[in-house]
Amino acid sequence: MEKNPVTVARINLFAILRNIQDLCEFDAPCKEAIKGKKISVQFNVPGLEPGTLVFANDKCEFFRGPHSASLKLYFTSPEHFNKLIDGEKTVPIFYNVFQVNFLLKEFMVLADRIKYYLQPTPAERAERNKDPEYFEKSTMLLAYTAFYAMSEIANSDPTGKIICKSMYPGIIQASMGDKIAVSLEIENGHMSTSIGKKEPGRAFMRFEDVATANAVLNGESDVFTPIGEGLLTLYGYTPMLESMSKLLGFVSAYVG
């Protein structure tokens, strides 16, 4: 499958970098990196809305769309931005040189922690997953990334847009155990993602435990096995779930 570079950029910004907001809530190295910092970093990519990370009061908040920022980064194309996220050597155009030190120091800590949770090698994943806390946190970020990426694919990828426009309006609730929940809202052929259970749900996807969700989202298990074992339940308006499963396959191609 040929990846749409605009869709890749949207996933990188609105699904992957967005995770920094959550990392700064629970990850000790991230908390330490932003302690006492007051700065906002905005990413401007052609064809995309801007995305801004605001650091203040020892917290981080991600904003989509126009927002004030003390450090603005400009990229010449979606491909230019994607190279930066992929770790290639590339330099964006930026304003406010006095704030660049944050990008070279503290921000690199945040980027490395995303990789720590989301991009371990198979050997690293096997070892780190022995820690229940790491396992739960990495699964949470994996779920957030997958379901936020799903909306970007539904709204941007040519085939994804066709699938989304055929979907019935309403909310799909996805939950993993008792602690992780994500909602997908479809309205007028457009999909949006939010954390938590948004009401009223029209279709539901429930993983009975975090381990099952982790295996499916990592591609280590198909969806049929846990359904047969009673560990994954699909109910409600099933045509929405069928379309969602198609989009989930695209997520693996884009993010996996």
Side-chain angles (χ1 to χ4, degrees):
M1 186 192 98
E2 185 176 352
K3 296 181 182 179
N4 182 322
V6 174
T7 304
V8 173
R10 288 170 65 122
I11 290 171
N12 282 332
L13 183 54
F14 301 123
I16 295 178
L17 282 185
R18 191 217 65 82
N19 284 319
I20 290 176
Q21 173 177 296
D22 302 298
L23 277 169
C24 290
E25 283 287 329
F26 65 73
D27 183 70
C30 289
K31 286 183 176 181
E32 183 62 29
I34 68 167
K35 190 175 182 180
K37 300 297 180 182
K38 189 174 182 180
I39 184 174
S40 48
V41 183
Q42 185 175 95
F43 299 84
N44 293 275
V45 183
L48 278 68
E49 301 169 89
T52 307
L53 290 163
V54 178
F55 302 91
N57 302 316
D58 297 339
K59 294 183 178 181
C60 172
E61 191 170 1
F62 181 82
F63 292 91
R64 180 172 186 155
H67 197 279
S68 60
S70 53
L71 176 60
K72 295 186 176 183
L73 308 179
Y74 292 86
F75 298 85
T76 58
S77 66
E79 292 87 347
H80 184 201
F81 174 66
N82 294 334
K83 285 181 180 180
L84 179 75
I85 302 303
D86 290 341
E88 296 184 35
K89 290 185 178 180
T90 184
V91 180
I93 302 167
F94 57 85
Y95 293 97
N96 198 344
V97 68
F98 300 105
Q99 301 281 11
V100 169
N101 188 56
F102 176 86
L103 195 66
L104 300 176
K105 186 180 178 183
E106 287 83 3
F107 188 81
M108 294 309 298
V109 173
L110 307 180
D112 286 343
R113 296 305 284 177
I114 289 179
K115 293 179 181 178
Y116 175 78
Y117 284 104
L118 293 179
Q119 297 177 324
T121 65
E124 289 171 338
R125 179 183 294 116
E127 183 61 31
R128 292 172 188 171
N129 280 349
K130 294 177 182 178
D131 177 0
E133 186 177 0
Y134 172 88
F135 186 69
E136 183 174 296
K137 290 176 178 177
S138 64
T139 302
M140 179 180 72
L141 292 179
L142 183 63
Y144 291 170
T145 299
F147 284 95
Y148 272 94
M150 195 181 300
S151 282
E152 300 310 321
I153 293 167
N155 299 329
S156 177
D157 179 86
T159 305
K161 289 167 71 173
I162 293 172
I163 295 171
C164 186
K165 288 185 183 301
S166 70
M167 293 180 73
Y168 290 87
I171 295 170
I172 302 173
Q173 292 181 4
S175 58
M176 289 130 269
D178 297 323
K179 296 182 179 180
I180 306 171
V182 184
S183 295
L184 297 171
E185 183 170 7
I186 300 91
E187 185 176 7
N188 296 324
H190 181 273
M191 180 181 289
S192 59
T193 303
S194 58
I195 294 173
K197 293 182 179 179
K198 193 171 184 179
E199 301 291 351
R202 189 172 187 183
F204 306 85
M205 178 184 197
R206 176 173 174 77
F207 293 94
E208 292 304 316
D209 54 50
V210 173
T212 303
N214 187 285
V216 171
L217 292 174
N218 266 319
E220 297 170 357
S221 170
D222 57 55
V223 297
F224 302 106
T225 300
I227 289 176
E229 295 173 341
L231 296 174
L232 171 58
T233 306
L234 305 174
Y235 58 102
Y237 195 64
T238 54
M240 296 178 74
L241 297 170
E242 291 173 0
S243 296
M244 185 191 72
S245 67
K246 295 176 184 177
L247 292 172
L248 194 57
F250 279 79
V251 171
S252 299
Y254 270 101
V255 181

